[in-house]
């Protein structure tokens, strides 16, 4: 199995690269054997490749991770700074704070995961961005995610979508405002940089010259099912809700692509 898929790699119709780092569900067999039998690998970005399939149809360049975020998370730095999902590239606990493994992972196991699954994703993403730069003066990186609820904020009603750009450090305020306004035009409630400012991907690539990196998080209730979500693995969605969200998002991206495509190319196709 390929650790990730790249759609429209050779097409440079738009100055944009789309990243789906948390949409994968595949686990290596060695990892399956070391997990507690009752553990739940919650908070995957369920069904996002299907939700955003219209981007591939429109010719957008999309990199789609097939490996579960619990194997090695591309949206974290490569260091092991702790044991939970917010600080470590290889989690020791799930997003609900429950221990994953029946024994501590060996440093060699962590290094193998980085070599096999983490670094190849970043190498491929960097190459896609570099290719776009040959054609466009500015490249836009959209890192797409989803969420159930705001973490550690009980009683606060989440927005429908959260736009994050490290508080205007990984992209311009103008690009953030453009995305926000297009979402609001489809009657979405949008939060900017609260509580999700963007992860490692937006921070790292948005620090590169001529790259505007932005993270977009959509709430589960907006496209999966209109209910509360707990520590669970999701296997189905409400078709009517899903396709309604898909149509609305397609309009948003149609207008976004039209807007950024007006910028001058640097040469090539």
């Amino acid at each position: 199995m390929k650790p990730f898929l790249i759609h429209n790699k050779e097409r440079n119709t738009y100055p944009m690269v789309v990243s789906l780092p948390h949409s994968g569900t595949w686990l290596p067999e060695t990892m399956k054997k070391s997990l507690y039998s009752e553990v739940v690998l919650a908070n995957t970005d369920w069904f996002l490749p299907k939700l955003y399939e219209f981007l591939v149809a429109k010719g957008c360049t999309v990199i789609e991770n097939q490996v579960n975020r619990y194997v090695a998370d591309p949206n974290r730095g490569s260091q092991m700074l702790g044991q939970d999902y917010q600080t470590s590239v290889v989690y020791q606990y799930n997003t609900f704070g429950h221990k994953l493994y029946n024994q501590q992972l060996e440093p060699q196991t962590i290094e193998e995961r980085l070599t096999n699954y983490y670094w190849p994703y970043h190498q491929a993403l960097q190459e896609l961005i570099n290719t776009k730069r040959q054609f466009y003066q500015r490249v836009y990186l959209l890192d797409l995610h989803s969420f159930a609820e705001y973490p550690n904020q009980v009683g606060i009603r989440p927005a429908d979508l959260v736009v994050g750009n490290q508080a205007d450090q990984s992209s311009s305020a103008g690009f953030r405002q453009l995305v926000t306004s297009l979402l609001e035009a489809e009657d979405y409630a949008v939060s900017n940089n609260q509580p999700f400012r963007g992860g490692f991907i937006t921070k790292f690539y948005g620090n590169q010259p001529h790259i505007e990196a932005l993270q977009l998080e959509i709430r589960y209730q907006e496209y999966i099912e209109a209910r509360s979500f707990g520590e669970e693995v999701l296997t189905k969605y409400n078709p009517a809700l899903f396709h309604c969200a898909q149509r609305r998002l397609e309009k948003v991206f149609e207008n976004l692509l039209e807007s950024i495509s007006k910028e001058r190319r640097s040469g090539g196709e």
Side-chain angles (χ1 to χ4, degrees), residues 43-45 96 146-151 158-159 196 217-221 227-230 232 234:
N43 292 115
T44 292
D45 290 347
F96 283 78
S146 61
F147 70 100
E149 304 292 341
Y150 288 168
F196 308 117
E217 294 256 10
I218 183 170
R219 192 181 182 194
Y220 286 1
Q221 288 191 8
R227 65 174 177 86
S228 298
F229 294 86
E232 57 188 300
L234 302 181

Side-chain angles (χ1 to χ4, degrees), residues 5-62:
L5 301 175
I6 299 178
H7 306 279
N8 298 318
K9 181 178 181 179
E10 306 299 331
R11 296 186 66 175
N12 293 289
T13 309
Y14 304 108
M16 186 171 76
V17 176
V18 175
S19 168
L20 293 165
H22 286 171
S23 60
T25 58
W26 181 85
L27 301 173
E29 288 300 321
T30 52
M31 177 176 172
K32 291 180 183 179
K33 294 176 182 178
S34 63
L35 290 169
Y36 281 116
S37 59
E38 69 276 12
V39 75
V40 178
L41 303 184
N43 292 115
T44 292
D45 290 347
W46 309 106
F47 317 120
L48 284 197
K50 178 68 175 177
L51 182 67
Y52 288 106
E53 64 182 2
F54 59 83
L55 291 174
V56 176
K58 291 180 184 301
C60 294
T61 301
V62 178

